[in-house]
Amino acid sequence: MADVVDYLPLVRATPLPLSELYGFLLQYYSRQEPLDRLTLVEAEMGGLMLLSSEAFHLLLPYFLEFYSRTSTRVRALALFDKLCEKLKHMAKQHLLTPLMHLYEVKGDATLQMELFKVQFLMVVRDSFGIECFFANILPYLVDALRSSDINIKQIAQASISLFVTSLSPVIATRYFVYPLLNLLGRSAVDANVVVHTLVAAGVHLGETVIVDQYVPRMRELLQQNSSVASKAQHDSTVLTVLSLVNGLLEFMQPATALRSFVTQSSQLIVLLLNPSPNVTLLQALGDTLVRIAEHIGRVRTRIYLLPYLNQFFSNYSDFYGSDGKRVVGTEEGVRAHYRKIYSPQMASLLYGDFSRAVGRDLMQDEISNSALIESILRHHPHLILPPMPSPQEKKAVSRVVEKSPAAAKVPRRKSLSFIEATKTNPLKDEEDAQLLAERREEELQVAAEHAERMELEEEEMQWERRLERSWIHQLLESDRLPYERPEFEFKNRITYSAKIHNNSIECLAVSKTENLILSACKDRSLKMWTLDETQFSSSSVDHHSLSGIPCFVSYGLHHAQITACCFHPHRDQVVSVDGSLHIWDINAGKNLLHLVHRSKLQDISPLLCASNAECHFVATTLTGSVVLLDTRMGIVAQEWKVQVGQTRGLAVDDDRFVVSCGNSTGWITTLDGRFGRVQERWKAHEGAICRLEQIHEKKVVSSGFDKSIKIWNDVPFFSAEVPTASSNSPSTSFPFAPSKDTQRGRVANTTIRGYGDPVTGFARMDNLLLCVGGSKMACVPFSQEGIYRASPNKPLNARAEKVRCVAALPYHGMFALGCEDGSLRFCL
């Protein structure tokens, strides 16, 4: 109890009386067993959540003690979300180390299953931040696929699949697919679990990622292991790759599958023509080739697969006579080795299954040893050959080929044309009729083959063009297997551009998982775009596409120009301001709240400092007021008149409850976000404030119409709770005469000049700050102090357009730019 007595002065300052806190500690120490103490905490957690931050931090060591005890650590995980909710931005500081110790525990399957459940992982991601989650928790999640416990592997697999579907393709590929691809071929890994996880991810990410990332890795593994396939470890790697091919095949276009596994990759053909003595491996290869044949179709199989299959079956004549019986030779050891490969069972698998897939008649025409193979199979009654196609089926196939528009473009041979020119005359005998029928059938086959080649060439060209236009391909093109996000290097190059609006884009917002982008246009339209080419494709919301970027939903109930927009921090909601406040449901596109204020709202930002999981929003008005909005109750909780003139720009430090706002006269005012008390006011620019944002802890960046950018350090900070809004009418603080201390002059820590136009947007990436003015941009280190000139330039590879707003996508390693012509650009 000595540590409690030391904190008595602090406890007396808390909102709750000391007796209540003291009473809880007495009950805690009266129970000797850790389980009894945990039961007490679970029962009293609702009341403990009402404690002030200081009092709660006093009790935190007692809560964390549960995670270090074997008997309580599993049950204590149920309290983790409550602790994160109360600690807010300090959750990572206090809870990350105990959580890492829990992930290091070995031998406790129940604990591991709870730690890898998706609900718990979502709480960790939202509380610690996505960057901390990727750096500290994700390696344990991927490593769980190597666990010997099947339940842990299944839970980890389900969690990874759900995480992949919630992230954009680039982030999902970089942080989930790359580690999983590296697990292929590793020992002590359940290949089935890894394959199923990769297939589920590939289905969500689409063909572009499969062709760009999966196929090269599979080719590499096959090349490394095909030459030494006699070893068990190498056999298992090849079997794993074949299983992955089978899983991905049905989600790929036939032309893409043919291009990826046959025409531009010879590994499967090499395995067929240089077979392994492992019969299991050969059977799996045969099954994969049959699946490819069924997927790409009869004509493509005849052109690209059956020639190699013919080479394989040509070796059967060395081991079997014309009657289909084995030939006894002198080199019995060598023949015994190859007889396992060229066996009746393999003939049944390849010849029989291919006959079912493409037709027995085609196999007889293309396989030179077809008579021998069928004779071999007849000596084994349990190996059944598929029946020959009926004449009606042959005529149906010929009729389909004859009506093909591509076949009509094929020039006919002179011999056939000469015979057809005499069709009006009666045929002299049956031989001419038979000759005409044979030539006609041959011509149709040539036409079908030629048409198929033309179609494949056209599909190949279309695929290449589509792949070159894909922003996913461009971002991942030179980014192979990086497990950690590389340090950003600004290249001033536009990697992708799409016209998404018909007028100027005024503001942009990016979701925390970077898979959604919100754009507000000057024509009052608000649209949300998904960076995932396949996500939401089954949604009931109308699915539009402009230049390859799918529009998930559009919000069209605004009555004036939209001045600000953002994503709700805790819910699947979108917040926008057009003089009034709108809150929209992301999935349904419905308006959930429309809050009208007597003064037009201008800017808005979330304030994550409520005592519960709900979020307040801070907004500025045209009349110089700052408004605290309670979106849960749909009311204005507080309103403070802080300055004279129109407010321009809003910066919120929700970790320290500091709100900074600029005005049209160039002044910046900083106030306490809890009570609206002005803490500091200073002259920042000679002209009006153009933009104001919080870019770092205790750092605010501003730009003005004097064409300068200034960074201000050491913004005041506070540590108390925001007062909970009530349903009463909002209180208003009237202007007061600030003291001389609040009006003192300040000198910017960093001043940047060199722009010819006012800077309309800036965004931070690592240690760099991208500043955009007009059509020029430059990245400057925001930690550098002093006065210096930047050298803004236009993009190197795109037409210059004036940029109105900018947003950072750090895990994609790029910036999103909203331009005056309505185009959305991605800049590296």
Side-chain angles (χ1 to χ4, degrees):
M1 295 291 289
D3 54 346
V4 178
V5 175
D6 294 338
Y7 283 93
L8 285 182
L10 182 61
V11 173
R12 292 191 181 96
T14 61
L16 285 183
L18 175 63
S19 57
E20 296 186 20
L21 182 61
Y22 185 73
F24 169 78
L25 292 175
L26 287 179
Q27 294 184 54
Y28 182 89
Y29 279 103
S30 66
R31 303 167 188 253
Q32 301 298 324
E33 295 297 328
L35 283 174
D36 294 338
R37 292 179 174 180
L38 179 58
T39 303
L40 172 66
V41 173
E42 291 173 342
E44 299 293 335
M45 182 54 71
L48 296 175
M49 292 290 290
L50 299 177
L51 291 171
S52 67
S53 297
E54 291 83 356
F56 196 84
H57 279 76
L58 178 64
L59 298 177
L60 188 59
Y62 302 100
F63 302 151
L64 298 181
E65 186 180 358
F66 295 130
Y67 296 110
S68 61
R69 295 183 180 274
T70 307
S71 59
T72 58
R73 59 192 179 195
V74 176
R75 273 181 58 184
L77 291 177
L79 303 176
F80 196 84
D81 59 337
K82 294 293 184 181
L83 297 179
C84 292
E85 178 185 328
K86 184 64 180 178
L87 294 173
K88 302 181 195 64
H89 61 277
M90 301 185 68
K92 180 174 68 174
Q93 175 184 346
H94 293 287
L95 301 180
L96 179 59
T97 301
L99 183 61
M100 298 282 286
H101 290 327
L102 291 178
Y103 278 107
E104 293 287 349
V105 174
K106 304 297 182 182
D108 192 339
T110 304
L111 174 64
Q112 295 297 313
M113 286 189 290
E114 292 295 327
L115 288 173
F116 293 123
K117 285 184 177 179
V118 67
Q119 297 87 350
F120 182 80
L121 292 173
M122 288 291 186
V123 172
V124 175
R125 185 197 68 179
D126 295 340
S127 302
F128 293 177
I130 191 170
E131 184 173 357
C132 177
F133 177 81
F134 284 151
N136 299 284
I137 308 301
L138 181 59
Y140 294 105
L141 179 59
V142 175
D143 193 59
L145 297 176
R146 308 176 65 176
S147 173
S148 58
D149 192 301
I150 185 64
N151 295 323
I152 296 177
K153 288 189 289 189
Q154 290 177 350
I155 291 175
Q157 176 187 350
S159 299
I160 290 176
S161 300
L162 288 175
F163 268 104
V164 168
T165 58
S166 66
L167 298 170
S168 65
V170 173
I171 300 179
T173 302
R174 183 172 292 162
Y175 292 98
F176 286 93
V177 172
Y178 286 155
L180 292 175
L181 289 174
N182 280 331
L183 286 179
L184 290 176
R186 299 283 183 88
S187 58
V189 176
D190 191 334
N192 292 329
V193 174
V194 177
V195 168
H196 291 162
T197 308
L198 282 171
V199 170
V203 172
H204 169 74
L205 297 174
E207 274 189 345
T208 302
V209 174
I210 292 176
V211 174
D212 249 12
Q213 309 300 324
Y214 283 63
V215 173
R217 177 59 176 167
M218 290 189 288
R219 290 176 184 171
E220 180 184 352
L221 289 173
L222 288 176
Q223 188 173 5
Q224 292 175 353
N225 296 276
S226 59
S227 60
V228 285
S230 59
K231 297 183 180 180
Q233 180 179 353
H234 298 288
D235 282 358
S236 63
T237 301
V238 175
L239 288 171
T240 301
V241 175
L242 294 177
S243 177
L244 183 57
V245 172
N246 295 339
L248 296 174
L249 199 59
E250 61 179 301
F251 303 104
M252 302 173 67
Q253 296 294 330
T256 307
L258 179 64
R259 173 181 179 270
S260 302
F261 302 126
V262 180
T263 60
Q264 293 191 1
S265 173
S266 61
Q267 278 75 23
L268 295 181
I269 303 302
V270 169
L271 287 175
L272 176 67
L273 300 182
N274 299 279
S276 166
N278 188 338
V279 178
T280 303
L281 175 60
L282 196 56
Q283 290 176 347
L285 174 63
D287 181 63
T288 300
L289 292 175
V290 170
R291 288 173 181 264
I292 293 176
E294 292 175 344
H295 190 64
I296 65 178
R298 174 186 172 97
V299 179
R300 289 171 174 154
T301 301
R302 178 192 175 203
I303 298 172
Y304 295 103
L305 279 182
L306 291 190
Y308 300 109
L309 203 64
N310 184 36
Q311 295 183 41
F312 176 82
F313 283 124
S314 65
N315 295 319
Y316 271 78
S317 58
D318 297 335
F319 302 94
Y320 296 88
S322 59
D323 57 353
K325 296 182 179 180
R326 288 184 180 272
V327 176
V328 180
T330 55
E331 300 178 5
E332 288 298 328
V334 176
R335 290 185 177 274
H337 169 75
Y338 284 105
R339 279 175 180 170
K340 294 180 181 180
I341 300 173
Y342 303 106
S343 63
Q345 288 76 16
M346 281 305 304
S348 175
L349 174 64
L350 291 176
Y351 191 89
D353 288 356
F354 264 89
S355 298
R356 295 183 184 92
V358 300
R360 185 176 169 187
D361 59 328
L362 184 60
M363 295 293 292
Q364 289 179 345
D365 293 340
E366 299 296 327
I367 303 301
S368 58
N369 271 352
S370 59
L372 173 62
I373 302 302
E374 293 188 4
S375 177
I376 294 173
L377 296 179
R378 290 192 190 100
H379 283 81
H380 298 79
H382 62 284
L383 303 177
I384 303 175
L385 271 172
M388 290 288 293
S390 63
Q392 292 79 9
E393 294 175 342
K394 286 186 176 181
K395 288 182 179 179
V397 173
S398 300
R399 195 177 300 115
V400 171
V401 175
E402 187 175 6
K403 292 182 179 180
S404 172
K409 301 178 183 178
V410 181
R412 303 181 183 277
R413 295 185 302 178
K414 289 185 178 180
S415 59
L416 182 60
S417 301
F418 174 77
I419 294 175
E420 289 185 342
T422 62
K423 285 176 65 178
T424 56
N425 300 325
L427 295 176
K428 296 180 179 180
D429 50 30
E430 294 181 358
E431 293 181 359
D432 289 341
Q434 184 178 1
L435 174 62
L436 179 61
E438 291 177 355
R439 291 290 181 84
R440 183 62 177 172
E441 184 177 356
E442 181 183 353
E443 178 67 22
L444 289 175
Q445 291 180 355
V446 173
E449 182 174 338
H450 183 79
E452 184 64 27
R453 290 185 183 275
M454 292 173 57
E455 182 183 351
L456 291 176
E457 291 177 1
E458 180 64 25
E459 289 181 355
E460 184 78 13
M461 294 174 62
Q462 291 179 358
W463 169 257
E464 293 292 345
R465 288 194 295 266
R466 184 161 64 92
L467 191 63
E468 290 175 0
R469 291 196 304 265
S470 172
W471 66 272
I472 303 175
H473 170 76
Q474 294 176 16
L475 288 177
L476 297 175
E477 185 178 13
S478 59
D479 192 10
R480 299 283 182 186
L481 300 179
Y483 191 74
E484 296 182 355
R485 179 169 65 88
E487 185 177 352
F488 178 74
E489 180 181 355
F490 184 64
K491 301 176 183 177
N492 199 12
R493 181 170 61 89
I494 303 298
T495 184
Y496 191 79
S497 179
K499 187 170 178 62
I500 61 175
H501 287 282
N502 296 323
N503 211 323
S504 175
I505 300 176
E506 295 300 316
C507 51
L508 291 173
V510 181
S511 64
K512 58 185 177 182
T513 54
E514 296 185 15
N515 62 329
L516 297 173
I517 289 185
L518 199 63
S519 64
C521 182
K522 195 174 182 179
D523 61 4
R524 306 180 184 179
S525 64
L526 180 69
K527 296 183 179 182
M528 184 165 58
W529 310 87
T530 172
L531 296 185
D532 185 348
E533 295 180 341
T534 58
Q535 193 175 5
F536 307 119
S537 59
S538 60
S539 174
S540 59
V541 180
D542 292 338
H543 192 79
H544 309 284
S545 180
L546 284 175
S547 302
I549 301 183
C551 176
F552 176 38
V553 67
S554 179
Y555 311 95
L557 298 179
H558 297 93
H559 304 291
Q561 180 179 329
I562 303 170
T563 57
C565 63
C566 65
F567 286 90
H568 196 290
H570 297 150
R571 299 179 178 179
D572 291 338
Q573 295 175 355
V574 167
V575 181
S576 60
V577 171
D578 63 346
S580 58
L581 177 71
H582 297 265
I583 295 184
W584 312 84
D585 182 84
I586 286 182
N587 299 304
K590 296 180 179 179
N591 189 289
L592 303 178
L593 176 64
H594 182 205
L595 182 60
V596 180
H597 191 264
R598 62 178 179 272
S599 300
K600 289 187 177 181
L601 302 179
Q602 188 73 6
D603 292 312
I604 194 165
S605 179
L607 184 62
L608 307 178
C609 52
S611 59
N612 49 30
E614 299 297 329
C615 171
H616 289 77
F617 283 85
V618 175
T620 59
T621 69
L622 293 177
T623 58
S625 299
V626 174
V627 180
L628 183 64
L629 305 171
D630 186 345
T631 57
R632 179 187 55 169
M633 303 180 66
I635 63 171
V636 177
Q638 300 287 339
E639 181 178 352
W640 306 293
K641 181 72 174 180
V642 296
Q643 58 189 3
V644 179
Q646 181 181 354
T647 53
R648 303 290 296 270
L650 175 67
V652 175
D653 185 354
D654 49 31
D655 289 345
R656 293 166 175 80
F657 321 127
V658 176
V659 178
S660 303
C661 56
N663 69 357
S664 55
T665 60
W667 285 74
I668 294 179
T669 303
T670 301
L671 63 148
D672 185 343
R674 303 161 299 164
F675 313 114
R677 184 173 62 251
V678 174
Q679 299 296 321
E680 191 173 5
R681 179 181 289 139
W682 68 93
K683 182 72 171 179
H685 295 271
E686 293 302 323
I689 299 292
C690 183
R691 193 119 185 127
L692 185 68
E693 286 188 13
Q694 186 90 25
I695 61 167
H696 191 261
E697 180 180 308
K698 299 171 63 178
K699 285 189 177 183
V700 172
V701 59
S702 65
S703 66
F705 281 89
D706 58 0
K707 304 176 184 179
S708 66
I709 308 164
K710 297 184 179 182
I711 300 176
W712 311 89
N713 295 354
D714 301 324
V715 178
F717 65 93
F718 316 97
S719 57
E721 298 293 327
V722 164
T724 304
S726 63
S727 59
N728 300 329
S729 59
S731 61
T732 303
S733 297
F734 294 99
F736 65 93
S739 63
K740 293 182 179 179
D741 293 336
T742 63
Q743 292 181 328
R744 66 181 182 271
R746 290 196 60 172
V747 177
N749 299 81
T750 304
T751 301
I752 305 168
R753 302 186 185 275
Y755 282 83
D757 297 294
V759 174
T760 56
F762 27 73
R764 178 196 169 197
M765 181 85 73
D766 295 336
N767 197 35
L768 298 176
L769 182 69
L770 177 69
C771 304
V772 178
S775 59
K776 296 183 178 181
M777 62 189 76
C779 261
V780 296
F782 72 86
S783 59
Q784 181 177 346
E785 296 188 357
I787 301 175
Y788 61 95
R789 296 183 65 85
S791 300
N793 295 300
K794 297 178 181 179
L796 299 177
N797 60 336
R799 186 182 64 180
E801 291 290 346
K802 286 191 175 182
V803 179
R804 297 290 302 167
C805 49
V806 59
L809 290 83
Y811 284 94
H812 287 79
M814 64 181 181
F815 294 99
L817 310 175
C819 303
E820 276 193 352
D821 64 345
S823 63
L824 176 65
R825 296 182 173 186
F826 295 98
C827 177
L828 293 177

